[in-house]
Short mmCIF file of all heavy atoms in Angstrom, two decimals:
data_model
loop_
_atom_site.label_atom_id
_atom_site.label_comp_id
_atom_site.label_asym_id
_atom_site.label_seq_id
_atom_site.Cartn_x
_atom_site.Cartn_y
_atom_site.Cartn_z
N GLY A 1 -0.76 -10.49 -6.90
CA GLY A 1 -0.24 -11.85 -7.02
C GLY A 1 1.11 -12.14 -6.41
O GLY A 1 1.84 -12.97 -6.92
N GLU A 2 1.49 -11.47 -5.35
CA GLU A 2 2.75 -11.76 -4.66
C GLU A 2 2.59 -12.95 -3.73
O GLU A 2 1.54 -13.13 -3.12
CB GLU A 2 3.21 -10.56 -3.84
CG GLU A 2 3.80 -9.44 -4.64
CD GLU A 2 5.10 -9.78 -5.33
OE1 GLU A 2 5.78 -10.75 -4.92
OE2 GLU A 2 5.42 -9.10 -6.29
N SER A 3 3.65 -13.73 -3.57
CA SER A 3 3.61 -14.85 -2.63
C SER A 3 4.51 -14.62 -1.42
O SER A 3 4.43 -15.34 -0.45
CB SER A 3 4.01 -16.15 -3.32
OG SER A 3 5.31 -16.05 -3.82
N ASP A 4 5.35 -13.60 -1.48
CA ASP A 4 6.22 -13.25 -0.35
C ASP A 4 5.54 -12.18 0.49
O ASP A 4 5.12 -11.15 -0.07
CB ASP A 4 7.56 -12.74 -0.87
CG ASP A 4 8.45 -12.26 0.24
OD1 ASP A 4 8.95 -13.11 1.01
OD2 ASP A 4 8.61 -11.03 0.38
N PRO A 5 5.41 -12.38 1.82
CA PRO A 5 4.71 -11.39 2.65
C PRO A 5 5.28 -9.99 2.56
O PRO A 5 4.53 -9.01 2.42
CB PRO A 5 4.82 -11.96 4.06
CG PRO A 5 5.01 -13.43 3.88
CD PRO A 5 5.78 -13.56 2.60
N GLY A 6 6.59 -9.87 2.61
CA GLY A 6 7.22 -8.54 2.55
C GLY A 6 6.98 -7.87 1.22
O GLY A 6 6.67 -6.67 1.16
N ALA A 7 7.11 -8.63 0.15
CA ALA A 7 6.87 -8.08 -1.19
C ALA A 7 5.41 -7.69 -1.38
O ALA A 7 5.10 -6.67 -2.01
CB ALA A 7 7.29 -9.11 -2.26
N LEU A 8 4.51 -8.48 -0.81
CA LEU A 8 3.07 -8.14 -0.87
C LEU A 8 2.81 -6.79 -0.20
O LEU A 8 2.13 -5.94 -0.74
CB LEU A 8 2.23 -9.23 -0.23
CG LEU A 8 0.73 -8.92 -0.12
CD1 LEU A 8 0.12 -8.78 -1.51
CD2 LEU A 8 0.02 -9.98 0.69
N LEU A 9 3.37 -6.60 1.00
CA LEU A 9 3.18 -5.32 1.71
C LEU A 9 3.73 -4.17 0.89
O LEU A 9 3.06 -3.13 0.79
CB LEU A 9 3.85 -5.39 3.07
CG LEU A 9 3.25 -6.39 4.06
CD1 LEU A 9 4.07 -6.42 5.34
CD2 LEU A 9 1.80 -6.11 4.35
N ASP A 10 4.90 -4.35 0.30
CA ASP A 10 5.48 -3.27 -0.52
C ASP A 10 4.59 -2.96 -1.71
O ASP A 10 4.34 -1.78 -2.02
CB ASP A 10 6.87 -3.67 -1.01
CG ASP A 10 7.92 -3.71 0.08
OD1 ASP A 10 7.68 -3.08 1.14
OD2 ASP A 10 8.96 -4.34 -0.12
N ARG A 11 4.09 -3.99 -2.39
CA ARG A 11 3.25 -3.79 -3.57
C ARG A 11 1.93 -3.11 -3.20
O ARG A 11 1.46 -2.22 -3.92
CB ARG A 11 2.97 -5.12 -4.28
CG ARG A 11 4.17 -5.81 -4.89
CD ARG A 11 4.56 -5.30 -6.27
NE ARG A 11 3.47 -5.24 -7.23
CZ ARG A 11 3.10 -6.21 -8.05
NH1 ARG A 11 3.71 -7.37 -8.01
NH2 ARG A 11 2.11 -6.04 -8.88
N VAL A 12 1.31 -3.53 -2.10
CA VAL A 12 0.05 -2.93 -1.68
C VAL A 12 0.25 -1.45 -1.33
O VAL A 12 -0.51 -0.59 -1.75
CB VAL A 12 -0.61 -3.70 -0.51
CG1 VAL A 12 -1.79 -2.93 0.06
CG2 VAL A 12 -1.04 -5.09 -0.95
N LEU A 13 1.32 -1.16 -0.59
CA LEU A 13 1.58 0.25 -0.23
C LEU A 13 1.85 1.08 -1.46
O LEU A 13 1.38 2.22 -1.57
CB LEU A 13 2.75 0.33 0.76
CG LEU A 13 2.39 0.02 2.20
CD1 LEU A 13 3.65 -0.01 3.06
CD2 LEU A 13 1.40 1.03 2.76
N ASP A 14 2.65 0.55 -2.41
CA ASP A 14 2.91 1.29 -3.65
C ASP A 14 1.61 1.53 -4.41
O ASP A 14 1.38 2.62 -4.94
CB ASP A 14 3.88 0.50 -4.53
CG ASP A 14 5.30 0.52 -4.01
OD1 ASP A 14 5.61 1.34 -3.10
OD2 ASP A 14 6.11 -0.29 -4.49
N ASP A 15 0.76 0.50 -4.48
CA ASP A 15 -0.52 0.63 -5.19
C ASP A 15 -1.45 1.62 -4.49
O ASP A 15 -2.13 2.42 -5.15
CB ASP A 15 -1.18 -0.74 -5.32
CG ASP A 15 -2.38 -0.71 -6.26
OD1 ASP A 15 -2.18 -0.31 -7.44
OD2 ASP A 15 -3.48 -1.06 -5.83
N LEU A 16 -1.44 1.58 -3.17
CA LEU A 16 -2.26 2.52 -2.39
C LEU A 16 -1.80 3.96 -2.62
O LEU A 16 -2.62 4.86 -2.80
CB LEU A 16 -2.23 2.14 -0.91
CG LEU A 16 -3.15 2.87 0.03
CD1 LEU A 16 -4.61 2.63 -0.36
CD2 LEU A 16 -2.92 2.41 1.45
N ARG A 17 -0.50 4.17 -2.63
CA ARG A 17 0.03 5.51 -2.90
C ARG A 17 -0.34 5.98 -4.31
O ARG A 17 -0.68 7.13 -4.52
CB ARG A 17 1.54 5.53 -2.71
CG ARG A 17 1.97 5.46 -1.27
CD ARG A 17 3.50 5.63 -1.14
NE ARG A 17 3.90 5.33 0.19
CZ ARG A 17 4.57 4.23 0.58
NH1 ARG A 17 4.90 3.33 -0.33
NH2 ARG A 17 4.91 4.05 1.82
N SER A 18 -0.27 5.03 -5.25
CA SER A 18 -0.66 5.37 -6.61
C SER A 18 -2.14 5.72 -6.70
O SER A 18 -2.52 6.70 -7.35
CB SER A 18 -0.34 4.18 -7.53
OG SER A 18 -0.79 4.42 -8.83
N TRP A 19 -2.98 4.95 -6.04
CA TRP A 19 -4.43 5.16 -6.03
C TRP A 19 -4.79 6.54 -5.47
O TRP A 19 -5.64 7.23 -5.99
CB TRP A 19 -5.09 4.06 -5.20
CG TRP A 19 -6.57 4.21 -5.06
CD1 TRP A 19 -7.25 4.79 -4.02
CD2 TRP A 19 -7.59 3.78 -5.98
NE1 TRP A 19 -8.59 4.74 -4.23
CE2 TRP A 19 -8.84 4.12 -5.44
CE3 TRP A 19 -7.54 3.15 -7.21
CZ2 TRP A 19 -10.03 3.86 -6.06
CZ3 TRP A 19 -8.75 2.87 -7.84
CH2 TRP A 19 -9.97 3.23 -7.27
N THR A 20 -4.10 6.92 -4.41
CA THR A 20 -4.42 8.19 -3.73
C THR A 20 -3.62 9.37 -4.28
O THR A 20 -3.79 10.49 -3.80
CB THR A 20 -4.11 8.08 -2.21
OG1 THR A 20 -2.73 7.85 -2.03
CG2 THR A 20 -4.95 7.00 -1.57
N GLY A 21 -2.75 9.13 -5.24
CA GLY A 21 -1.91 10.21 -5.74
C GLY A 21 -0.89 10.65 -4.69
O GLY A 21 -0.46 11.78 -4.67
N GLY A 22 -0.52 9.71 -3.80
CA GLY A 22 0.43 10.00 -2.75
C GLY A 22 -0.15 10.74 -1.57
O GLY A 22 0.59 11.20 -0.69
N ARG A 23 -1.46 10.90 -1.52
CA ARG A 23 -2.12 11.66 -0.45
C ARG A 23 -2.92 10.74 0.47
O ARG A 23 -4.14 10.76 0.48
CB ARG A 23 -3.07 12.70 -1.06
CG ARG A 23 -2.38 13.72 -1.93
CD ARG A 23 -3.37 14.47 -2.78
NE ARG A 23 -4.04 13.47 -3.63
CZ ARG A 23 -5.34 13.44 -3.84
NH1 ARG A 23 -6.12 14.35 -3.36
NH2 ARG A 23 -5.88 12.50 -4.58
N ILE A 24 -2.23 9.93 1.24
CA ILE A 24 -2.92 9.08 2.21
C ILE A 24 -3.23 9.94 3.44
O ILE A 24 -2.35 10.47 4.07
CB ILE A 24 -2.04 7.86 2.59
CG1 ILE A 24 -1.78 7.02 1.33
CG2 ILE A 24 -2.72 7.04 3.68
CD1 ILE A 24 -0.81 5.88 1.55
N ARG A 25 -4.52 10.09 3.74
CA ARG A 25 -4.96 11.03 4.78
C ARG A 25 -5.17 10.38 6.15
O ARG A 25 -5.29 11.08 7.13
CB ARG A 25 -6.26 11.69 4.33
CG ARG A 25 -6.18 12.33 2.98
CD ARG A 25 -6.26 13.82 3.09
NE ARG A 25 -6.36 14.42 1.77
CZ ARG A 25 -5.41 15.20 1.29
NH1 ARG A 25 -4.33 15.44 1.99
NH2 ARG A 25 -5.54 15.74 0.10
N ASP A 26 -5.27 9.08 6.19
CA ASP A 26 -5.54 8.35 7.42
C ASP A 26 -4.36 7.41 7.70
O ASP A 26 -3.56 7.13 6.81
CB ASP A 26 -6.85 7.59 7.28
CG ASP A 26 -7.42 7.10 8.61
OD1 ASP A 26 -6.80 7.35 9.66
OD2 ASP A 26 -8.50 6.49 8.60
N ASP A 27 -4.30 6.91 8.94
CA ASP A 27 -3.25 5.95 9.25
C ASP A 27 -3.59 4.63 8.53
O ASP A 27 -4.74 4.26 8.40
CB ASP A 27 -3.13 5.72 10.74
CG ASP A 27 -4.41 5.22 11.37
OD1 ASP A 27 -5.47 5.81 11.09
OD2 ASP A 27 -4.38 4.24 12.11
N VAL A 28 -2.55 3.97 8.07
CA VAL A 28 -2.67 2.70 7.36
C VAL A 28 -1.78 1.68 8.07
O VAL A 28 -0.60 1.94 8.28
CB VAL A 28 -2.25 2.85 5.88
CG1 VAL A 28 -2.16 1.49 5.21
CG2 VAL A 28 -3.21 3.75 5.14
N ALA A 29 -2.35 0.55 8.43
CA ALA A 29 -1.56 -0.54 9.00
C ALA A 29 -1.86 -1.81 8.21
O ALA A 29 -3.02 -2.11 7.91
CB ALA A 29 -1.91 -0.76 10.47
N LEU A 30 -0.80 -2.49 7.81
CA LEU A 30 -0.91 -3.73 7.06
C LEU A 30 -0.07 -4.80 7.74
O LEU A 30 0.99 -4.52 8.26
CB LEU A 30 -0.37 -3.55 5.63
CG LEU A 30 -1.02 -2.50 4.75
CD1 LEU A 30 -0.15 -2.21 3.54
CD2 LEU A 30 -2.38 -2.99 4.29
N MET A 31 -0.56 -6.04 7.69
CA MET A 31 0.20 -7.17 8.20
C MET A 31 -0.05 -8.34 7.26
O MET A 31 -1.19 -8.65 6.93
CB MET A 31 -0.23 -7.54 9.62
CG MET A 31 0.57 -8.69 10.18
SD MET A 31 -0.02 -9.27 11.80
CE MET A 31 -0.08 -7.81 12.74
#
């Protein structure tokens, strides 16, 4: 539920790291 683009990217990346236990194995690009 973020409305700021930068904050949304930060939240998604934090959530993705949490989901993977910090083990992101592939490249991730967000815009």
Side-chain angles (χ1 to χ4, degrees):
E2 284 294 340
S3 61
D4 175 71
L8 174 64
L9 295 176
D10 289 341
R11 294 277 310 270
V12 170
L13 281 173
D14 287 346
D15 190 57
L16 188 61
R17 286 186 190 107
S18 175
W19 177 264
T20 63
R23 300 164 299 136
I24 299 174
R25 306 248 187 246
D26 196 359
D27 60 312
V28 170
L30 301 165
M31 181 186 307

